[in-house]
């Protein structure tokens, strides 16, 4: 192992397996570079970031939330309560809640899907549409006035 100590307190270690471990004294952060291209950063608040050679990044936050950023632009966040948020490159967002509900956000609408099959959609023009699992359909205009209530 080779150790280099810098004047500013930083320490660089080159390990026999070719790992390079660099400790930034001021930031109290450790950066480990592996021979296969993986880089891992460990911050003093226990946040850990992994940067993979293919451009993928994985961030584990102190509360155990995990965010994955993929090279194709997709972002996924996994929360400790089981909620998952996916954001596509085009900005569309899908939120899957631990209670089985699902939300979809696009430029055209926001939609919530319930486990019983009910679907509520709010369009960008303000119109609201609710399709109940019973088959009932209710449509409201942007002011909230009922346009259609088909049972």
């Amino acid at each position: 192992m080779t150790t280099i100590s810098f004047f500013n307190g930083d320490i660089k270690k080159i390990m026999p397996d070719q790992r390079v471990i660099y400790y930034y004294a001021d930031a109290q952060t450790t950066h480990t570079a592996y021979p296969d291209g993986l880089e891992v950063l460990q911050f003093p608040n226990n946040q850990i970031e992994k940067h993979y050679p293919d451009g993928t990044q994985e961030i584990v936050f102190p509360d155990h939330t995990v965010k994955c950023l993929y090279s194709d632009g997709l972002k996924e966040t996994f929360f400790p309560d089981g909620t998952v948020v996916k954001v596509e490159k085009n900005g569309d967002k899908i939120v899957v809640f631990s209670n089985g509900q699902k939300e979809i956000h696009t430029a055209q609408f926001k939609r919530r899907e319930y486990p019983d099959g009910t679907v509520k959609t709010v369009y960008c023009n303000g119109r609201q549409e609710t399709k109940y699992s019973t088959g009932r359909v209710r449509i409201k205009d942007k002011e909230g006035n009922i346009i259609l209530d088909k049972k």
Side-chain angles (χ1 to χ4, degrees):
M1 176 177 75
T2 303
T3 302
I4 302 166
S5 297
F6 295 93
F7 181 72
N8 63 359
D10 290 3
I11 300 170
K12 181 179 182 178
K13 293 181 182 178
I14 302 170
M15 309 302 283
D17 63 4
Q18 302 305 308
R19 278 180 300 144
V20 177
I21 302 170
Y22 195 103
Y23 177 73
Y24 297 91
D26 281 349
Q28 297 180 334
T29 299
T30 302
H31 178 193
T32 305
Y34 292 85
D36 64 2
L38 173 66
E39 295 186 32
V40 178
L41 292 107
Q42 296 174 294
F43 297 92
N45 67 351
N46 292 324
Q47 178 175 316
I48 298 173
E49 292 187 13
K50 293 181 182 177
H51 298 249
Y52 295 90
D54 68 358
T56 300
Q57 295 180 34
E58 179 184 280
I59 304 165
V60 180
F61 295 95
D63 70 353
H64 304 290
T65 296
V66 178
K67 181 177 273 192
C68 297
L69 309 169
Y70 300 98
S71 55
D72 65 0
L74 174 68
K75 298 175 188 174
E76 289 183 304
T77 306
F78 303 88
F79 293 92
D81 71 354
T83 299
V84 178
V85 178
K86 293 181 184 182
V87 181
E88 301 286 342
K89 186 177 181 179
N90 67 3
D92 289 358
K93 180 169 33 173
I94 299 170
V95 182
V96 180
F97 297 96
S98 56
N99 64 5
Q101 294 181 18
K102 179 178 176 181
E103 248 181 41
I104 302 167
H105 298 206
T106 71
Q108 295 78 31
F109 64 83
K110 290 183 181 178
R111 173 177 294 146
R112 184 169 281 228
E113 300 173 358
Y114 296 87
D116 71 355
T118 298
V119 177
K120 292 186 178 185
T121 306
V122 178
Y123 294 94
C124 59
N125 64 5
R127 193 184 85 190
Q128 301 174 41
E129 180 179 288
T130 306
K131 295 180 180 178
Y132 296 91
S133 56
T134 60
R136 177 182 177 189
V137 176
R138 185 170 56 192
I139 299 174
K140 296 180 181 179
D141 64 18
K142 64 182 178 183
E143 285 84 30
N145 300 314
I146 296 174
I147 298 170
L148 174 73
D149 195 350
K150 187 173 109 182
K151 297 179 184 178

